[in-house]
Amino acid sequence: MPHYVRFQGATRNDRGHFPGVFALVNNLARQGLLTPAQEHFRRTSNDWYDTHFTNPAEVDPTVYDRTRHPGAAAWFKSTSPHLITRVDGYLAILRTHRIPCHRLHSHAPGHVIYEDPDQVVVVPRRLA
């Protein structure tokens, strides 16, 4: 049975969902709250992920559509440790800013609406 991993905030956003680790750090950047070193890490790491990780929205522009797929969230496949271990730097930034982020594990995180070799995007079962 496949195993999935997700990193998400502890507080719901204005739409009632828990933002993922990348959204949390990118939000800090938009607010101008990152140090120069943190911003450098964020930018270079985001660039690395852009190169080595498929953006589901580029494959299926509707995958994160709030009406069609409310609460859609991406989960890493546990078979992609090269992607999961790089999240540690993002978690360090969040700790510095005292923003809690949880690591979740699941064999069935929700209704799969997108899948590639490294991840799935799911609608949580309570919303599917």
Side-chain angles (χ1 to χ4, degrees), residues 48-60 64 74 83 114-119 121:
W48 185 90
Y49 275 104
D50 288 346
T51 301
H52 296 90
F53 192 53
T54 302
N55 178 344
E58 291 177 2
V59 176
D60 177 1
Y64 291 114
L83 298 170
Y114 170 86
E115 183 170 5
D116 67 39
D118 298 310
Q119 68 186 320
V121 176

Side-chain angles (χ1 to χ4, degrees), residues 60-128:
D60 177 1
T62 70
V63 74
Y64 291 114
D65 182 283
R66 294 177 192 161
T67 303
R68 292 180 71 178
H69 305 295
W75 290 68
F76 290 109
K77 290 183 176 179
S78 62
T79 54
S80 297
H82 63 290
L83 298 170
I84 296 169
T85 58
R86 295 185 70 95
V87 171
D88 288 347
Y90 292 88
L91 297 174
I93 291 171
L94 294 174
R95 277 192 302 277
T96 299
H97 291 271
R98 293 186 170 91
I99 297 174
C101 189
H102 302 293
R103 181 180 177 138
L104 306 176
H105 298 265
S106 179
H107 290 289
H111 173 71
V112 176
I113 56 172
Y114 170 86
E115 183 170 5
D116 67 39
D118 298 310
Q119 68 186 320
V120 294
V121 176
V122 304
V123 174
R125 297 239 183 258
R126 62 179 174 72
L127 298 174

